Amino acid sequence: MSWLLTLLGFMVAASATAPHSLVQERWQRLPLGAIRPKGWLLTQMTLQSKALTSHLPLFWPNIANTSWLGGFADVDGGIHENTPYWLNGAVPLAVQVEDEELMKTVEQYFEGIFTRQGSDGWLGPDTDRSDFWSRIPFMLALAQYHESLPEGHQRSRCASVAHRFFTAVGQRLEEGVQLGSWSSMRAHDLIWSIHYFAALLPANSSFAHWLLDLAKRLHEAAFQWNEQWFNSSAFATAPVILDSLKTHGVNNAQAVKHGVVWARQSGEVQQGFAESWLAWSQLQRFHGQPHGAFSADEHLAGTNPSRGTELCAVVEAMWSLLLTAQLAPNDRSAVKPLDALEVLAYNALPGSLSEDLWSHPYLQLANSYQALSHEVDHVWTHDGPDSAMYGLAPNYPCCTSNFHQGYPKFAANLFFESPETKEIISALWAPSLARFSHLGAQIELKTDYPFNAGVEYWIQNEEPFQLTIRLPPFLRDDPSAAASLRVTLEGRTVNRTVVDGFLRVQVTSKAERPRLAVRLDFALEPRVSRSSEGSTVHVGPLLMALDLAEERKEVRRHAFEAADWDTFTRKSWQVALPETPRFGDVRHRSFDLPPLPHDAARCPLALEAELVGVRWPAEHQAPAAPPEALVPGQAARSNRTLLPYACTAIRISAFPQQSTESSRWI
């Protein structure tokens, strides 16, 4: 009971310092499990649940023999992050695809960790009293597990475990323990979990009051990302040479949420959003990549499309952008992070994973013609020679345990609701089924998007509501695509006026059974964007990449289907777009739910393009940055296939392009 006595003392001390006040999110998240994937997304997430997510506990020491359950592993670099990382993705995945075996395994891990909780409330291996970080992903997993449970003993137990742990955190801060290096940089993920559990308590709760005081102390002790980095002359505007924790890619991805998370407690919602969006804008301006993420081959690496992006940075950026959208002050603000998130979800995330979800590279490269093991001469500067190889745990093990959160958190936030305004927000398009208990409604979003055009909202509802639909940027900004948009409500064509990025439809009819209430039809056509780092081709939200007819060679076999692979090209990568690009029709293959939605051989979408052979040098076994001037090669123009970036493991996605000058290429 020592933790309880400690807590009582803290509550008395905190009673006059901070009110119990959290700003209500403008959009409310649906509880975990209220949104279920359907169609190709269900296929993709089921693949994940049956691959590494469910098998790591059977053979990979960092999970199978974790120090969190008394084992010898998960101690990399003196921290214990792998098991918490894995749980942070395994929990929502098991719930959403209703994988009972995976959930059984997850609950065994929770049980073992709960029973090992220290008498003071501390969780996990206590090898460094300043290592708060290793607990932070676990608290995110615990919040999701709690959210998925019905009222009852286990749900109450989760809250009790969290409360005891927060008390232990407070005790260490009182004793003068400083936030360790990673903990200081990533403290706002812990603050988010404190806010989650504080919001469940009564408004007059003294413990909720104390929790917010604890969050304030953590905020003040943490690295101040806005003042000291993103809004500072210290921010890296070129590839990093002298690295630090500030320049670390995953730290930056997690830091994007810093502003909006703290704004929920400070009340400065406009300022918090401005800080978070500035963070993302800075990362994109100076380090942005064609796939939507930013370069982070361990540290920020500029805009050269041959530089790498760590998989952890992708999934952490997705979570940060989701929170930034949810906590935005208005629709005009919220649409920006949602647009950015869609690009990540449909390009950078699947582009970081093998089509069967059994392997991944530590670093993905927007332009590459090989992904090899033991690549001694490599373009990245801060990671090891296996970093681009597809494998079980290339380079560092963190991505092996952390990638699992990507798809589940994306799926869990496809819709939001605002009960006060009787509004349902369709934030992102993917096949799914959502239930809204506050509004007595159910919506199934039937679509093959982003691989095909058209979305249908099959709605069952007890009362009228407003359906607020975010339109992707290509339907707002591309005149041709926007002109193709047709919206029907209950079978009648309606106005397609878009305000602040959203289409608003009043669903006035009621229905006891699902019916096709709202339908959007539009065209998916290729479009080209030019920049100093090369020209890119998109179809809808999909970045298109040159099909290199990949060949793979197994390097090492692990357990089950896990293996390490070398990947080579069988076709020339030295091609450019002509001054006036010419494309064939977008080919939509029969979408009968292929077992591997992102398999290059069966990818649901393809595009033929006329390309020109050019002399394009390689540097450090990677394409040089697409140069401003290229001499045309001897090869004649030829038709080549472009596939969605997500369907490739090696690819060219940023091309040189001929300019209006006679022999100049950009």
Side-chain angles (χ1 to χ4, degrees):
M1 297 296 288
S2 60
W3 72 273
L4 182 56
L5 295 174
T6 300
L7 175 60
L8 291 173
F10 288 162
M11 288 167 58
V12 171
S15 60
T17 59
H20 174 220
S21 176
L22 285 175
V23 173
Q24 178 66 51
E25 303 103 322
R26 193 173 65 93
W27 294 347
Q28 292 185 24
R29 290 176 57 252
L30 301 185
L32 181 61
I35 303 175
R36 299 293 172 96
K38 304 284 282 186
W40 73 261
L41 183 58
L42 176 59
T43 301
Q44 183 77 354
M45 291 175 63
T46 301
L47 274 173
Q48 180 179 324
S49 74
K50 301 303 181 185
L52 281 181
T53 306
S54 61
H55 283 81
L56 288 179
L58 302 179
F59 78 96
W60 195 51
N62 279 331
I63 307 298
N65 290 297
T66 174
S67 53
W68 280 77
L69 298 180
F72 62 83
D74 197 3
V75 294
D76 298 289
I79 56 178
H80 313 272
E81 65 185 8
N82 286 289
T83 298
Y85 266 157
W86 173 76
L87 284 169
N88 187 32
V91 170
L93 181 63
V95 171
Q96 288 169 321
V97 302
E98 301 180 87
D99 188 326
E100 295 181 0
E101 286 300 313
L102 179 57
M103 180 52 71
K104 181 179 178 181
T105 301
V106 163
E107 291 182 328
Q108 289 172 347
Y109 273 75
F110 275 118
E111 181 63 28
I113 293 169
F114 287 177
T115 58
R116 287 172 171 81
Q117 187 169 25
S119 60
D120 63 349
W122 197 251
L123 287 164
D126 196 5
T127 56
D128 178 355
R129 286 176 58 79
S130 67
D131 178 22
F132 298 87
W133 157 244
S134 295
R135 335 294 136 182
I136 294 176
F138 177 78
M139 297 309 297
L140 298 176
L142 182 60
Q144 294 175 92
Y145 181 47
H146 175 274
E147 186 178 60
S148 72
L149 293 169
E151 293 294 339
H153 170 72
Q154 189 69 351
R155 182 178 169 94
S156 298
R157 189 182 181 201
C158 290
S160 176
V161 167
H163 295 169
R164 292 181 62 200
F165 171 70
F166 294 143
T167 303
V169 171
Q171 176 67 44
R172 295 198 179 193
L173 294 179
E174 286 290 319
E175 293 172 358
V177 177
Q178 301 295 310
L179 293 181
S181 55
W182 299 109
S183 308
S184 174
M185 295 288 164
R186 303 175 177 186
H188 284 70
D189 281 279
L190 179 56
I191 291 173
W192 183 89
S193 67
I194 292 173
H195 287 171
Y196 171 84
F197 285 102
L200 300 173
L201 298 170
N204 60 354
S205 165
S206 57
F207 184 53
H209 183 156
W210 179 82
L211 283 175
L212 295 191
D213 183 70
L214 173 63
K216 183 173 183 288
R217 283 184 285 159
L218 288 167
H219 172 73
E220 293 172 348
F223 182 73
Q224 298 302 304
W225 280 97
N226 184 60
E227 295 85 351
Q228 296 177 258
W229 188 239
F230 294 119
N231 197 21
S232 163
S233 60
F235 182 77
T237 58
V240 168
I241 298 175
L242 299 176
D243 58 270
S244 69
L245 289 175
K246 298 191 298 290
T247 65
H248 188 265
V250 180
N251 284 346
N252 277 264
Q254 292 186 238
V256 169
K257 70 174 72 69
H258 181 282
V260 292
V261 167
W262 182 242
R264 195 176 175 206
Q265 184 164 337
S266 72
E268 300 291 339
V269 176
Q270 293 274 3
Q271 178 182 332
F273 176 83
E275 291 179 4
S276 285
W277 191 244
L278 173 66
W280 186 251
S281 299
Q282 290 282 75
L283 291 168
Q284 287 296 305
R285 177 184 177 188
F286 295 107
H287 307 283
Q289 292 289 307
H291 47 58
F294 55 89
S295 65
D297 44 22
E298 208 62 29
H299 296 272
L300 301 178
T303 55
N304 182 343
S306 292
R307 293 298 292 264
T309 297
E310 182 183 338
L311 174 51
C312 281
V314 174
V315 295
E316 294 294 354
M318 290 176 66
W319 172 232
S320 289
L321 289 168
L322 279 166
L323 293 180
T324 302
Q326 183 199 3
L327 299 168
N330 50 53
D331 288 350
R332 182 177 299 177
S333 299
V335 76
K336 299 175 184 178
L338 290 175
D339 290 347
L341 173 61
E342 180 179 71
V343 178
L344 287 176
Y346 290 142
N347 298 290
L349 176 61
S352 301
L353 302 167
S354 66
E355 69 276 8
D356 61 2
L357 282 298
W358 277 98
S359 65
H360 67 274
Y362 187 77
L363 301 176
Q364 66 172 301
L365 293 82
N367 277 0
S368 64
Y369 55 80
Q370 61 187 21
L372 307 180
S373 57
H374 310 300
E375 199 167 345
V376 178
D377 181 24
H378 47 71
V379 67
W380 56 90
T381 58
H382 292 90
D383 287 313
D386 288 342
S387 295
M389 172 191 74
Y390 278 73
L392 171 63
N395 203 49
Y396 296 127
C398 51
C399 295
T400 306
S401 53
N402 194 24
F403 84 83
H404 310 270
Q405 66 170 304
Y407 279 114
K409 289 187 179 180
F410 170 71
N413 291 275
L414 297 173
F415 289 90
F416 297 94
E417 66 178 345
S418 177
E420 294 79 7
T421 59
K422 294 188 176 181
E423 181 181 8
I424 291 175
I425 300 91
S426 176
L428 298 152
W429 284 341
S432 53
L433 176 67
R435 294 182 173 86
F436 306 85
S437 58
H438 288 108
L439 295 172
Q442 172 182 295
I443 297 179
E444 182 174 357
L445 183 55
K446 294 186 178 183
T447 183
D448 289 335
Y449 186 86
F451 302 108
N452 214 331
V455 294
E456 296 180 350
Y457 292 85
W458 288 72
I459 299 175
Q460 176 181 342
N461 58 309
E462 299 174 359
E463 57 181 295
F465 65 91
Q466 175 177 290
L467 179 61
T468 300
I469 304 169
R470 181 197 69 95
L471 290 185
F474 72 92
L475 286 177
R476 308 194 309 260
D477 304 333
D478 183 328
S480 175
S484 73
L485 178 63
R486 180 172 179 264
V487 183
T488 56
L489 171 64
E490 310 287 1
R492 303 185 308 277
T493 301
V494 296
N495 193 309
R496 62 185 187 193
T497 302
V498 179
V499 179
D500 295 335
F502 290 87
L503 176 72
R504 292 163 179 81
V505 178
Q506 301 297 327
V507 181
T508 57
S509 301
K510 303 177 185 180
E512 295 182 356
R513 294 182 178 180
R515 86 284 190 190
L516 175 55
V518 180
R519 176 173 177 148
L520 282 73
D521 294 290
F522 49 88
L524 287 177
E525 299 293 342
R527 64 190 191 281
V528 177
S529 300
R530 298 191 181 198
S531 79
S532 61
E533 298 298 337
S535 294
T536 55
V537 179
H538 286 82
V539 174
L542 295 175
L543 173 66
M544 303 301 289
L546 183 64
D547 179 10
L548 295 177
E550 301 161 6
E551 180 178 347
R552 297 182 186 179
K553 178 182 178 182
E554 184 176 308
V555 175
R556 180 185 177 189
R557 173 66 54 171
H558 299 281
F560 303 100
E561 299 302 314
D564 299 341
W565 303 89
D566 281 345
T567 308
F568 313 86
T569 178
R570 291 187 293 174
K571 289 189 175 182
S572 170
W573 58 270
Q574 294 161 306
V575 293
L577 287 170
E579 178 184 350
T580 303
R582 297 179 62 184
F583 302 105
D585 293 333
V586 178
R587 296 202 312 266
H588 301 281
R589 303 182 186 182
S590 177
F591 208 113
D592 53 356
L593 294 182
L596 303 173
H598 295 107
D599 182 10
R602 291 174 285 185
C603 194
L605 183 149
L607 176 68
E608 295 300 311
E610 183 183 72
L611 301 177
V612 184
V614 291
R615 295 173 187 159
W616 183 358
E619 296 178 354
H620 303 292
Q621 303 301 310
E628 293 187 359
L630 280 176
V631 179
Q634 298 302 312
R637 296 193 179 199
S638 60
N639 289 334
R640 294 286 297 273
T641 299
L642 304 184
L643 298 175
Y645 181 92
C647 293
T648 62
I650 54 175
R651 73 283 280 189
I652 299 297
S653 63
F655 297 87
Q657 183 174 359
Q658 189 177 21
S659 74
T660 54
E661 300 177 31
S662 59
S663 62
R664 186 170 173 80
W665 297 77
I666 62 173

